Amino acid sequence: MDTLSIRAIPILSDNYAWFVHDAATGTAGMVDPAQEAPLVAAIDAAGGRLDLIVLTHHHADHIAAAATLKARYGARIVGAAADAHRLPPLDIAVRDGDCVHLGQAVAHVMATPGHTTGEVSYYFPAGPALFCGDTLFSMGCGRLFEGTPEDMFHALQRIKALPDSTLVCCGHEYTQSNARFALHVDPANPDVRRRAAEVDALRREGQPTVPVTLGVERATNPFLRAPDVATLARLRREKDSF
């Protein structure tokens, strides 16, 4: 039985923070909080409890409200030990292979560099759900600001090994633009066409396009489908100027 309740909270212009509850204990976590007001509103509406703040990487649009939320609710901050020097002060510094507990739910920490060198993702088998920041997007992947194509390829291969039912909980609402690129590079793929139409319908209604299952991403995401580093590097260059 699933023990996680997951809610995407739109913040800034196109970011999502993820409000996560362990149903068994009521323990609450927030992934990548970067705007105080909407997150405080969501937390207070849910009972005013925040136990854990979980950070995927150091960019300001993922961490800007972490310190203020910690001060307000007493939450502990979790983030990558390798990036501790450029994150808010960490209560729990994690490395690849570590586990993080949210009540009875356990997250497995995965090093997923590429977008940044220190990025980590958090996989909850109880979801199953993956909080992957700016590594994997629906139908896309993050820009290579610090890492290499090799870094990103291997990070995506690790993600690709997770179960198809895994909910991909990423950091941005980029799916519509990513779908246009996926249609450009794989126009005959019926799964891409179907997903692109679904995404357009969701956005017309003002609805989020994530979370999405990893199974859907396997069928539609050109970066996740790239067979080798060279292909991923070529696709990333094309997408950067698309």
Side-chain angles (χ1 to χ4, degrees):
M1 179 179 176
D2 291 353
T3 62
L4 285 184
S5 169
I6 300 168
R7 176 185 168 195
I9 303 179
I11 57 173
L12 304 175
S13 61
D14 54 27
N15 280 71
Y16 290 119
W18 294 91
F19 197 18
V20 186
H21 286 84
D22 171 49
T25 62
T27 308
M30 188 72 73
V31 182
D32 287 352
Q35 188 177 15
E36 184 179 358
L39 301 182
V40 166
I43 295 164
D44 288 350
R49 179 173 180 178
L50 186 66
D51 301 281
L52 212 60
I53 293 167
V54 180
L55 307 178
T56 61
H57 64 293
H58 73 278
H59 287 161
D61 64 327
H62 292 256
I63 68 172
T68 54
L69 292 182
K70 175 181 178 175
R72 186 181 183 106
Y73 298 104
R76 295 176 298 160
I77 298 179
V78 180
D83 266 356
H85 62 289
R86 51 184 185 175
L87 292 171
L90 299 177
D91 299 290
I92 305 172
V94 295
R95 296 172 174 81
D96 184 57
D98 285 350
C99 290
V100 176
H101 293 262
L102 181 72
Q104 293 181 9
V106 179
H108 299 272
V109 179
M110 301 169 59
T112 52
H115 179 65
T116 69
T117 54
E119 181 140 1
V120 292
S121 298
Y122 301 84
Y123 172 62
F124 284 86
L130 177 74
F131 298 90
C132 51
D134 289 1
T135 298
L136 178 70
F137 297 123
S138 184
M139 305 185 85
C141 75
R143 288 179 178 265
L144 302 178
F145 286 129
E146 296 176 3
T148 65
E150 289 84 357
D151 290 334
M152 182 62 80
F153 179 78
H154 292 302
L156 294 181
Q157 291 302 299
R158 294 191 71 184
I159 290 172
K160 195 174 179 179
L162 299 175
D164 275 352
S165 57
T166 302
L167 293 177
V168 175
C169 303
C170 57
H172 289 271
E173 182 56 70
Y174 287 165
T175 317
Q176 203 162 31
S177 61
N178 288 341
R180 287 193 287 269
F181 181 70
L183 285 167
H184 169 71
V185 299
D186 199 5
N189 185 328
D191 294 313
V192 171
R193 295 162 67 95
R194 191 178 306 113
R195 173 65 172 154
E198 174 188 73
V199 165
D200 286 342
L202 287 168
R203 296 311 291 160
R204 280 195 301 271
E205 297 170 4
Q207 297 299 311
T209 64
V210 290
V212 59
T213 67
L214 187 58
V216 169
E217 289 304 301
R218 288 185 206 280
T220 61
N221 189 320
F223 298 94
L224 204 61
R225 291 161 58 84
D228 50 48
V229 173
T231 303
L232 185 141
R234 174 180 58 79
L235 288 169
R236 188 63 259 179
R237 288 193 300 269
E238 290 181 12
K239 180 65 165 63
D240 287 346
S241 59
F242 181 68

